[in-house]
């Protein structure tokens, strides 16, 4: 049972492995970077807070001691000079506020109390408003009120260039994640492409065995598998060809002995059976040769002359084979293999419909499309693919005149693959079957 991929509510999980790995890797890097940034931010906040409170304690202790020792009339000249960025001194009772019970207020109150060494009673109040302000109210030795207006600050201001550095770092993270995913997924894509293009009958280049050890090992295993498949197919075809070839000699002897016997209904049946076996053997040899390949070379043929010659050969024997439409152009292919393909199509059409039509067209990709059409019973749509398998009979009888050997379309498909083309069967509108071979 396959493990289900967890899905978060409202999250559309990507379909491709590349996107999934990229998303996971990028999310992990972004979370790690965000965590590092948060820790740095908190450390900076705590450092700034410690510096602020430490400075507040030292400066306030000095400033309050100076103001307490000066005469009241001279204190006003030093108030502005003793003030700092986050606090300032005011001579007077200050503003009315509300008691502050926050932890930050208690910390500030504790620092100020420690600064004045508990010599002056202090009352900390929060001043309502948009800006967070605290005021510490105290009374000096001569009874004069003194207010310390404190504006607590958070972290130190961030430099203007820092967001740009953050953006560049995120871009680098995305680039590195994309490169890592591409490097990891590319061998998998190459393996899939090699598997799609796998053709043991063609001696094409194998999968490259370079790269990381895991990739190289997978490539070597794939190439070895390809070689084994080619060997098994070749061995199978050779066995079939050998058996079919060796059967011809005893069949011929049996045919000669049957011909030498006296005429009788049993003799006719025996001769008919031997002829059927001989045709089956010949078709087996033809299928083996088509699968194993031949030494025929490609040649340029004139399509009009080529198609007409096939039709005339059948017409000379009294068969109804006609060419419809205008045939033009040329093709670079193997003539004997193409003739065998079309002959198999025509034989099937004559067997099931009594007549056949041949047409030649050029599609949008400038490929040659040759069709053999009939008006017979056709093939059920769910059996069109199976009809091109070896020894497939739509009718399960073994009568040559009805069921046949089931190798005609299989041979045509093998030869079409050797030509680098494609074969398609489809039922015609109004009834009948069309066998179409496309030569690219």
């Amino acid at each position: 049972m396959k493990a289900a991929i967890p899905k978060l509510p409202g999250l559309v999980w990507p379909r491709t492995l590349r996107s999934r790995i990229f998303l996971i890797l990028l999310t992990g890097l972004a979370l790690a970077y965000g965590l590092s940034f948060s820790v740095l931010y908190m450390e900076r906040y705590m450092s700034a807070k410690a510096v602020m409170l430490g400075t507040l304690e030292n400066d306030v202790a000095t400033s309050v001691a100076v103001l307490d020792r000066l005469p009241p009339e001279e204190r006003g000249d030093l108030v502005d000079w003793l003030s700092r960025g986050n606090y300032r001194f005011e001579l007077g009772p200050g503003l009315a506020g509300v008691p502050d019970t926050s932890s930050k207020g208690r910390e500030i109150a504790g620092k100020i109390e420690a600064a004045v060494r508990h010599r002056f009673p202090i009352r900390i109040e929060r001043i309502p408003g948009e800006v967070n302000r605290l005021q510490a109210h105290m009374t000096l030795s001569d009874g004069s009120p003194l207010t310390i207006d404190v504006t607590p600050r958070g972290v130190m201001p961030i430099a203007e260039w820092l967001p740009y550095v953050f953006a560049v770092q995120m871009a680098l993270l995305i680039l590195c994640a994309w490169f890592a995913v591409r490097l990891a997924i590319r061998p998998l894509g190459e393996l899939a492409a090699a598997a799609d293009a796998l053709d043991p009958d063609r001696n094409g280049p194998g999968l490259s065995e370079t790269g990381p050890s895991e990739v190289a090992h997978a490539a070597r295993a794939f190439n070895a598998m390809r070689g084994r498949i080619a060997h098994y197919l070749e061995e199978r075809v050779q066995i079939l060809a050998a058996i079919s070839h060796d059967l011809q000699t005893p069949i011929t002897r049996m045919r000669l002995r049957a011909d030498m016997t006296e005429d009788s209904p049993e003799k006719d049946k025996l001769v008919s059976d031997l002829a059927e076996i001989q045709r089956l053997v010949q078709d087996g040899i033809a299928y083996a040769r088509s699968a194993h390949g031949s030494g025929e070379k490609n040649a340029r043929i004139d399509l009009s002359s080529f198609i007409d010659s096939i039709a005339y050969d059948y017409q000379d024997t009294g068969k109804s084979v006609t060419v419809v439409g205008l045939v033009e152009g040329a093709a670079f292919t193997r003539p004997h293999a193409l003739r065998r393909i079309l002959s198999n199509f025509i034989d099937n059409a004559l067997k099931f419909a009594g007549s056949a039509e041949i047409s030649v067209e050029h599609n949008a990709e400038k490929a040659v499309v040759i069709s053999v059409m009939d008006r017979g019973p056709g093939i059920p749509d769910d059996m069109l693919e199976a009809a091109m398998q070896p020894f497939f009979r739509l009718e399960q009888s073994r009568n040559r005149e009805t069921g046949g050997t089931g190798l005609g379309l299989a041979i045509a498909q093998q030869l079409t693959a050797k030509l680098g083309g494609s074969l398609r069967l489809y039922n015609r509108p109004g009834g009948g079957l069309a066998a179409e071979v496309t030569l690219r």
Side-chain angles (χ1 to χ4, degrees):
M1 183 178 295
K2 297 182 178 179
I5 299 176
K7 294 183 178 180
L8 297 178
L11 177 63
V12 180
W13 191 248
R15 295 181 58 86
T16 64
L17 181 62
R18 181 191 303 271
S19 301
R20 291 179 180 181
I21 295 180
F22 177 78
L23 181 61
I24 293 173
L25 187 58
L26 181 61
T27 302
L29 290 174
L31 290 176
Y33 184 79
L35 180 61
S36 300
F37 184 82
S38 300
V39 171
L40 179 63
Y41 182 88
M42 290 301 298
E43 191 276 335
R44 185 168 181 172
Y45 170 79
M46 295 174 65
S47 299
K49 179 180 177 182
V51 171
M52 182 194 72
L53 294 178
T55 303
L56 179 64
E57 181 179 358
N58 297 330
D59 290 352
V60 167
T62 304
S63 300
V64 171
V66 171
L67 292 176
D68 186 56
R69 286 176 172 79
L70 286 176
E73 62 272 8
E74 296 181 7
R75 293 171 182 169
D77 298 335
L78 292 180
V79 167
D80 294 335
W81 184 77
L82 294 174
S83 299
R84 296 293 183 264
N86 59 335
Y87 69 91
R88 61 187 180 86
F89 292 95
E90 295 181 2
L91 298 177
L95 300 177
V98 296
D100 185 24
T101 59
S102 64
S103 60
K104 182 177 294 185
R106 289 195 300 268
E107 287 180 346
I108 294 175
K111 291 297 180 182
I112 295 177
E113 289 177 353
V116 299
R117 298 179 182 177
H118 306 284
R119 293 175 53 193
F120 309 105
I122 296 177
R123 186 181 75 258
I124 304 294
E125 294 181 341
R126 180 172 57 85
I127 306 303
E130 297 180 0
V131 180
N132 185 21
R133 293 173 58 192
L134 298 174
Q135 286 192 346
H137 307 282
M138 67 180 64
T139 303
L140 298 177
S141 301
D142 60 356
S144 301
L146 177 64
T147 301
I148 305 175
D149 192 303
V150 183
T151 304
R153 292 183 180 178
V155 297
M156 291 178 287
I158 299 176
E160 296 182 357
W161 48 265
L162 190 59
Y164 298 100
V165 173
F166 179 77
V168 172
Q169 289 177 335
M170 288 302 299
L172 288 176
L173 285 178
I174 295 175
L175 181 62
C176 292
W178 173 84
F179 181 75
V181 170
R182 180 176 179 271
L183 193 63
I185 296 299
R186 184 173 59 182
L188 186 60
E190 293 176 353
L191 180 61
D196 290 337
L198 178 63
D199 187 355
D201 294 330
R202 295 183 182 179
N203 294 323
L207 192 63
S208 176
E209 298 180 3
T210 59
S213 59
E214 296 84 359
V215 175
H217 178 72
R220 285 193 298 269
F222 179 84
N223 290 334
M225 179 193 68
R226 176 183 176 184
R228 289 195 297 270
I229 291 175
H231 174 72
Y232 294 153
L233 291 177
E234 182 178 356
E235 188 179 58
R236 184 197 66 176
V237 171
Q238 288 177 350
I239 293 174
L240 178 60
I243 294 175
S244 300
H245 183 271
D246 293 342
L247 282 175
Q248 292 188 91
T249 300
I251 291 174
T252 302
R253 289 199 301 264
M254 295 171 65
R255 180 71 179 269
L256 290 175
R257 291 170 183 171
D259 290 338
M260 294 174 63
T261 60
E262 296 181 358
D263 293 337
S264 64
E266 287 74 12
K267 173 184 176 179
D268 294 337
K269 294 179 181 179
L270 178 60
V271 171
S272 177
D273 289 340
L274 290 174
E276 169 66 17
I277 295 174
Q278 190 169 22
R279 283 191 291 267
L280 180 60
V281 170
Q282 291 173 350
D283 284 347
I285 294 176
Y287 176 75
R289 288 175 177 172
S290 68
H292 191 56
S294 65
E296 184 184 5
K297 304 297 182 182
N298 287 339
R300 187 178 182 84
I301 60 174
D302 179 73
L303 289 174
S304 178
S305 302
F306 183 78
I307 298 298
D308 287 341
S309 67
I310 295 176
Y312 292 155
D313 289 342
Y314 280 94
Q315 291 172 5
D316 290 342
T317 60
K319 303 296 178 61
S320 177
V321 178
T322 58
V323 180
V324 296
L326 182 63
V327 180
E328 295 179 333
F332 189 73
T333 185
R334 301 176 185 178
H336 294 294
L338 181 59
R339 180 179 290 270
R340 181 62 188 267
I341 294 171
L342 298 180
S343 297
N344 287 0
F345 291 163
I346 295 172
D347 290 342
N348 281 339
L350 293 175
K351 185 192 327 182
F352 294 105
S355 63
E357 298 177 344
I358 308 175
S359 69
V360 180
E361 299 176 349
H362 296 270
N363 60 17
E365 300 176 355
K366 298 183 179 180
V368 178
V369 180
I370 306 176
S371 302
V372 176
M373 302 167 288
D374 62 55
R375 285 298 180 185
I379 299 176
D381 291 337
D382 59 345
M383 294 186 179
L384 288 174
E385 291 293 333
M388 291 185 286
Q389 299 299 320
F391 302 105
F392 174 84
R393 294 183 179 91
L394 186 62
E395 180 183 344
Q396 297 302 320
S397 72
R398 294 187 177 273
N399 188 342
R400 171 72 175 177
E401 300 302 324
T402 55
T405 62
L407 287 175
L409 292 177
I411 293 173
Q413 186 182 41
Q414 291 275 17
L415 292 176
T416 302
K418 297 294 182 182
L419 298 180
S422 60
L423 187 151
R424 182 170 75 101
L425 299 178
Y426 61 92
N427 291 301
R428 302 176 64 189
L433 184 70
E436 178 184 283
V437 57
T438 302
L439 304 177
R440 294 178 177 83

